[in-house]
Amino acid sequence: SQVLVEEKSSVRILTLNRPKQLNALCFNMISRLLQLFRAYEEDPSVKLVILKGQGRAFCAGGDVPPVVQNMVQGKWRLGADFFRDQYTLNYVMATYSKPQVSILNGIVMGAGAGVSIHGRFRIATENTVFAMPETSLGLFPDVGASYFLSRLPGFFGEYVGLTGARLDGAELLACGLATHFVPSTRLTALETDLCKVGSSDPSFVSTILDAYTQHPHLKQKSAYHRLDVIDRCFSKRTMEEIISALERETTQELDDWSLTTIRALKKSSPSSLKISLRSIREGRLQGVGHCLTREYRMVCHVMKGDLSKDLVEGCRAILIDKDRNPKWEPRRLEDMKDSMVDQFFERVEEEERWEDLKLSPRNNLHALRIAAKL
């Protein structure tokens, strides 16, 4: 019941159904989605998959507290299994031979981005709130984020991934993370029309979506209006240089956006910021499978806790005690040396049971449709 299934003609509608938990993905949900997507790909009667969320969220992320609890108890491999299945699901979606339409009517964060952005069609609405807030938790933008963030216009992906900035539906459409924008009042009619498709040709789906889509104006204070400043600052080679560049901007023009951005970066885990920046930069030159395989190495180092315990501390401060005052280690960016960052990208040296993420070659790799819409 955590994933509701509706069969309508040749369309399958999957609804994430943990509304009280904002549809946070637990292990069972990930396993079920993986099973369903694989079955539908083999079933010639299924032409289209629609994914949506129950309540006010599409999906607010992964169900992290149980994973952290396992880490604290020394059972980090259970967390590694969770991420292995999740990244495999992300890969299946990114290489899916049939159209996937994700309806992002509400909160979309972390793992929620992983089960939607890799699909061919992503529908934003006026209720959409998107963010990758991992650096404030002691993690890094994963679920293939190093692939899709690095393909946003300019250095907007670095900005979104490092600061955890929230984007609305209009911004999602503008930067290309959403392919269409449909008012929430039109979603029921849209679904009804999509259920008449009868073909797995994406152009048929696209024609229907185009008939419903609108082009909302960006708000005056949207970060997307600041692409020139974002590119100037977030193109710098190191985190220290990025923050220095932002601070220089504030001396020329004191505004809320620059101060908020600097504050967000200074509150985040120095370890997370540095590995996140490198991950997104490497993602620019890698395919989605390579990105997910590398992110799996990185997340296993985080799970194991030998290089950093910031995820446990971040979850304590943000999700459990809620004092919002994490004690990061190291506390300063300059104390997180390049050699320490390197270790997160190396194979996990572990006795038995650990191996790299193995993703089977698939023929259906569709180029991620990310195109800025101005």
Side-chain angles (χ1 to χ4, degrees):
S1 64
Q2 293 177 336
V3 178
L4 304 178
V5 179
E6 291 177 80
E7 299 185 4
K8 293 194 176 178
S9 179
S10 60
V11 176
R12 298 294 176 269
I13 303 173
L14 306 180
T15 305
L16 306 178
N17 187 37
R18 293 180 80 205
K20 287 182 181 173
Q21 293 82 18
L22 301 178
N23 300 322
L25 291 178
C26 62
F27 191 81
N28 289 341
M29 292 169 79
I30 289 167
S31 301
R32 180 72 173 136
L33 287 170
L34 189 53
Q35 174 196 29
L36 289 168
F37 268 82
R38 281 176 164 158
Y40 295 156
E41 193 160 42
E42 298 301 316
D43 185 345
S45 70
V46 178
K47 308 295 184 189
L48 168 68
V49 182
I50 297 174
L51 187 62
K52 61 182 185 175
Q54 191 81 282
R56 64 191 185 92
F58 169 75
C59 170
D63 196 4
V64 175
V67 173
V68 172
Q69 195 173 1
N70 286 326
M71 287 171 63
V72 171
Q73 293 170 359
K75 297 184 283 191
W76 70 271
R77 284 189 187 83
L78 292 175
D81 291 342
F82 171 86
F83 284 101
R84 180 181 291 274
D85 276 13
Q86 184 173 203
Y87 294 2
T88 303
L89 174 63
N90 301 148
Y91 180 68
V92 166
M93 289 176 164
T95 55
Y96 211 56
S97 60
K98 298 175 181 181
Q100 174 188 341
V101 175
S102 303
I103 299 175
L104 311 178
N105 186 33
I107 300 163
V108 188
M109 294 186 182
V115 293
S116 57
I117 304 300
H118 293 295
R120 194 178 289 266
F121 299 107
R122 291 93 62 189
I123 315 304
T125 76
E126 75 281 2
N127 300 321
T128 304
V129 180
F130 176 96
M132 299 297 289
E134 287 81 1
T135 59
S136 65
L137 279 173
L139 193 57
F140 60 92
D142 64 326
V143 295
S146 61
Y147 179 73
F148 60 75
L149 290 180
S150 65
R151 280 152 179 81
L152 298 187
F155 292 84
F156 196 64
E158 275 90 338
Y159 163 70
V160 171
L162 294 170
T163 65
R166 296 188 171 200
L167 306 180
D168 63 21
E171 289 169 316
L172 230 56
L173 184 71
C175 74
L177 284 169
T179 56
H180 297 80
F181 182 99
V182 177
S184 59
T185 53
R186 302 281 285 142
L187 290 176
T188 303
L190 171 63
E191 266 186 53
T192 301
D193 279 354
L194 286 172
C195 287
K196 299 172 187 168
V197 167
S199 168
S200 55
D201 183 337
S203 64
F204 286 90
V205 179
S206 197
T207 300
I208 293 169
L209 293 173
D210 289 347
Y212 280 85
T213 200
Q214 294 185 2
H215 296 280
H217 291 294
L218 289 167
K219 289 175 183 164
Q220 192 179 346
K221 290 192 172 182
S222 168
Y224 206 70
H225 288 311
R226 301 170 185 273
L227 268 183
D228 56 338
V229 179
I230 287 170
D231 286 354
R232 201 156 53 237
C233 298
F234 284 86
S235 60
K236 301 298 183 196
R237 193 180 64 83
T238 67
M239 278 309 312
E240 290 91 337
E241 289 170 321
I242 287 171
I243 291 174
S244 294
L246 285 164
E247 287 173 339
R248 277 197 302 277
E249 293 290 334
T250 63
T251 62
Q252 291 162 28
E253 182 192 352
L254 196 61
D255 71 331
D256 288 347
W257 178 83
S258 299
L259 294 170
T260 302
T261 303
I262 292 166
R263 200 177 303 123
L265 292 173
K266 288 190 171 178
K267 273 187 171 179
S268 294
S269 153
S271 167
S272 291
L273 288 172
K274 288 210 168 178
I275 67 172
S276 298
L277 180 61
R278 172 146 347 152
S279 180
I280 294 168
R281 294 278 159 88
E282 288 196 5
R284 268 193 168 80
L285 305 172
Q286 296 171 340
V288 66
H290 196 152
C291 285
L292 287 162
T293 302
R294 171 178 45 71
E295 288 175 13
Y296 183 68
R297 284 187 178 187
M298 295 167 68
V299 86
C300 283
H301 280 297
V302 173
M303 293 292 103
K304 200 177 172 194
D306 52 349
L307 304 181
S308 169
K309 294 186 169 47
D310 277 4
L311 178 59
V312 173
E313 175 58 14
C315 285
R316 179 206 64 75
I318 308 297
L319 303 177
I320 300 166
D321 297 344
K322 298 185 180 177
D323 59 29
R324 307 194 79 81
N325 186 29
K327 304 289 190 290
W328 304 125
E329 187 57 47
R331 290 177 57 195
R332 303 183 311 159
L333 280 168
E334 51 268 38
D335 294 332
M336 183 69 187
K337 306 298 183 190
D338 286 350
S339 59
M340 296 159 73
V341 175
D342 292 342
Q343 291 178 284
F344 283 89
F345 292 76
E346 293 165 2
R347 268 185 65 86
V348 175
E349 293 303 326
E350 185 63 19
E351 50 286 4
E352 79 277 9
R353 270 204 66 198
W354 191 88
E355 55 181 33
D356 272 326
L357 180 63
K358 301 278 195 305
L359 298 171
S360 308
R362 285 166 58 86
N363 301 323
N364 310 311
L365 184 59
H366 54 83
L368 187 65
R369 286 209 319 164
I370 287 189
K373 297 172 180 64
L374 296 173

